[in-house]
DNA sequence: AAGCGGGTCAACCGCATACCC
DNA sequence: CGGGTATGCGGTTGACCCGCT
């Protein structure tokens, strides 16, 4: 037996909202709030809409102070940073961007940011591949130079040492080198996350570090009160959040790497006793892939990677340990409606006592 | 001018969780 | 405490727009 439908689908209008519907919903909510019951609301005001649909329309479009489009570079940086830290928790990310909705951020990420970053990733990989090929060519050149010199010892001196023996720029089969030495371009979240980690928070076009310290740190307020931390999960969350907080409040200029390293170090204290088994920070970062449920990306080291519990611990597994944490405090300055579930997150914003 | 394809974004769907009785 | 219902969330879909051919 399936779940009972939330509304009578036959008598419910779907699709785009008309201005009249918008006006009706907006006027009612602004005057009365939602009454704490979205399901009953459309019937109350004579809208042939599903309660869920009304809620979504209000949250994503009608509520005050909503911004649409035109994401600033700063906002992009925040989205990227948070995506690296917490994954696709759009509502939490939205909590850090006043006036932005989770839907907007999700759309922006999927349609633009992801592509933008993938493009950047390809460029960097190409540059890396070219640099690598160049280095190999130089090594070959040096090797042949040595051979030649040893050969010349048996030849007439000076007969072959005029001009270069091969062009400075050797034709380089970049794709082959790339295929052999680098993992293929990954089109998925795993690749992006790794790329973001590699960038270390350097997301903007001018390659400046996002200055979370000056722009957003004050917005990052984690309402953690040691007095109310009682359960292991609370403690867990407090650990992870304080790590995040410290990483943004120190002079790390919002370094994503720092955040992640701190997080990983903190994860070592998790009750599941995640054994990272890495010897250096870079390896720790690579190992973090496991937390995101992705495979080890560094194919070249795959053979030597020691099996650890970390590898089987997906991000979901880990996040399930910390998903009790409240969303980050928003500095949303809208006008909360009484009983308004649109501001349901405000329940998280209970004053710290 | 028409057709096509890609991009964008609003809206829907289904699942997980919270809440209430 | 358990079951039913409401809410919140993230993934996905589809309509619309715009540029290109």
């Amino acid at each position: 037996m399936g779940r009972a439908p939330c509304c009578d689908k036959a008598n419910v209008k779907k699709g785009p909202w008309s201005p009249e519907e918008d006006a009706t919903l907006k006027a009612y909510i602004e005057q009365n709030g939602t009454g704490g019951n979205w399901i009953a609301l459309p019937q109350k005001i004579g809208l042939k809409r599903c309660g869920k649909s009304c809620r979504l329309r209000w949250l994503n479009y009608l509520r005050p102070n909503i911004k649409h489009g035109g994401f600033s570079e700063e906002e992009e940086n925040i989205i990227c940073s948070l995506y690296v830290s917490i994954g696709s928790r759009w509502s939490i990310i939205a909590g850090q961007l006043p006036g932005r909705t989770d839907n907007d951020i999700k759309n922006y990420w999927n349609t633009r940011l992801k592509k933008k970053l993938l493009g950047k990733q390809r460029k960097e990989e190409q540059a890396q591949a070219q640099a690598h090929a160049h280095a190999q060519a130089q090594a070959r050149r040096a090797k042949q130079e040595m051979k030649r010199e040893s050969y010349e010892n048996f030849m007439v001196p000076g007969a072959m040492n005029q001009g270069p023996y091969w062009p400075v720029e050797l034709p380089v089969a970049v794709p082959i080198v790339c295929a052999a030495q680098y993992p293929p371009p990954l089109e998925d979240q795993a690749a992006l996350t790794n790329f973001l980690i590699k960038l270390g928070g350097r997301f903007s076009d001018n390659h400046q570090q996002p200055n979370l310290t000056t722009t957003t740190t004050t917005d990052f307020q984690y309402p953690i009160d040691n007095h109310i931390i009682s359960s292991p999960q609370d403690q867990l969350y407090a650990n992870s959040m304080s790590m995040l907080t410290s990483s943004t409040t120190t002079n790390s200029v919002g370094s994503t790497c720092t955040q992640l390293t701190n997080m990983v170090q903190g994860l070592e204290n998790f009750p599941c006793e995640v054994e990272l088994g890495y010897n250096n920070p870079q390896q720790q970062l690579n190992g973090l892939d496991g937390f995101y449920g992705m495979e080890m990306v560094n194919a070249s080291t795959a053979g030597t990677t020691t099996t650890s519990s970390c590898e089987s611990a997906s991000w979901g597994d880990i996040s399930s340990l910390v998903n009790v944490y409240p969303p980050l405090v928003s500095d949303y300055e809208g006008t909360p409606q009484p009983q308004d579930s649109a501001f349901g997150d405000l329940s998280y914003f209970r004053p710290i006592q």
Side-chain angles (χ1 to χ4, degrees):
Chain A
M1 192 178 110
R3 154 192 287 266
C6 66
C7 51
D8 181 5
K9 305 239 175 199
N11 291 321
V12 157
K13 188 183 167 194
K14 284 186 182 181
W17 281 63
S18 68
E20 292 77 26
E21 287 176 312
D22 279 348
T24 306
L25 181 61
K26 195 170 183 214
Y28 181 84
I29 293 179
E30 281 178 346
Q31 207 166 8
N32 308 295
T34 64
N37 189 347
W38 283 105
I39 301 297
L41 190 142
Q43 288 171 344
K44 261 190 225 171
I45 59 178
L47 281 180
K48 291 192 170 184
R49 289 279 180 179
C50 173
K52 270 181 149 186
S53 179
C54 293
R55 175 185 160 270
L56 216 60
R57 185 64 179 169
W58 170 256
L59 281 181
N60 291 336
Y61 198 80
L62 297 176
R63 89 182 139 109
N65 298 339
I66 289 284
K67 278 193 269 178
H68 289 289
F71 279 75
S72 67
E73 204 167 84
E74 184 188 328
E75 285 175 313
E76 284 184 6
N77 290 337
I78 293 171
I79 293 169
C80 292
S81 279
L82 287 173
Y83 186 87
V84 168
S85 302
I86 62 176
S88 57
R89 310 283 291 272
W90 303 118
S91 60
I92 296 175
I93 295 173
Q96 291 306 304
L97 298 172
R100 299 295 186 184
T101 67
D102 53 354
N103 210 30
D104 253 3
I105 293 168
K106 182 171 58 182
N107 281 334
Y108 188 65
W109 171 265
N110 285 329
T111 59
R112 298 190 200 181
L113 266 184
K114 200 156 79 173
K115 287 170 193 168
K116 190 173 168 183
L117 290 168
L118 275 172
K120 239 178 236 185
Q121 181 197 19
R122 289 217 185 82
K123 267 188 198 166
E124 293 217 348
E125 279 175 355
Q126 219 167 13
Q128 263 189 322
Q130 276 176 354
H132 186 81
H134 192 70
Q136 278 196 330
Q138 279 189 326
R140 271 201 307 273
R141 210 178 309 171
K143 202 175 166 183
Q144 291 197 14
E145 177 77 14
M146 283 173 64
K147 265 190 195 170
R148 185 186 58 81
E149 279 173 1
S150 59
Y151 175 72
E152 279 176 358
N153 288 338
F154 301 98
M155 304 290 287
V156 179
M160 293 177 69
N161 58 354
Q162 293 171 0
Y165 300 107
W166 40 76
V168 172
E169 293 296 332
L170 289 172
V172 174
V174 174
I176 294 170
V177 171
C178 180
Q181 302 292 332
Y182 297 92
L186 300 171
E187 301 276 349
D188 54 14
Q189 307 289 58
L192 273 172
T193 309
N194 274 284
F195 179 61
L196 287 168
I197 290 169
K198 266 196 267 177
L199 287 178
R202 178 166 47 84
F203 306 114
S204 58
D205 286 336
N206 59 10
H207 281 203
Q208 286 175 340
Q209 299 281 343
N211 194 341
L212 290 179
T213 303
T214 56
T215 58
T216 62
T217 299
T218 53
D219 293 335
F220 279 85
Q221 301 165 28
Y222 304 96
I224 301 166
D225 183 353
N226 288 335
H227 300 298
I228 62 171
I229 294 171
S230 53
S231 69
Q233 285 189 335
D234 286 339
Q235 186 61 53
L236 208 56
Y237 167 60
N239 287 346
S240 57
M241 286 300 105
S242 63
M243 282 183 280
L244 268 177
T245 309
S246 65
S247 68
T248 52
T249 51
T250 54
N251 194 21
S252 66
V253 277
S255 162
T256 307
C257 287
T258 308
Q259 287 182 14
L260 290 169
T261 305
N262 288 345
M263 284 182 76
V264 170
Q265 286 164 351
L267 287 168
E268 290 173 308
N269 300 326
F270 280 9
C272 61
E273 298 203 10
V274 174
E275 175 55 60
L276 290 170
Y278 297 126
N279 299 322
N280 62 49
Q282 185 53 50
Q283 283 177 316
Q284 287 185 357
L285 288 176
N286 288 340
L288 194 67
D289 295 344
F291 295 126
Y292 285 82
M294 62 181 71
E295 294 170 5
M296 299 297 286
V297 173
N298 193 342
S300 65
T301 61
T304 60
T305 306
T306 55
T307 303
S308 70
S309 58
C310 163
E311 287 176 3
S312 60
S314 70
W315 168 244
D317 294 334
I318 299 301
S319 66
S320 71
L321 295 172
V322 295
N323 66 3
V324 291
Y325 63 70
L328 314 178
V329 170
S330 165
D331 52 359
Y332 170 67
E333 293 172 354
T335 52
Q337 305 298 314
Q339 296 286 315
D340 184 6
S341 295
F343 303 92
D345 280 351
L346 289 172
S347 62
Y348 290 117
F349 302 158
R350 63 185 179 279
I352 297 170
Q353 292 160 2

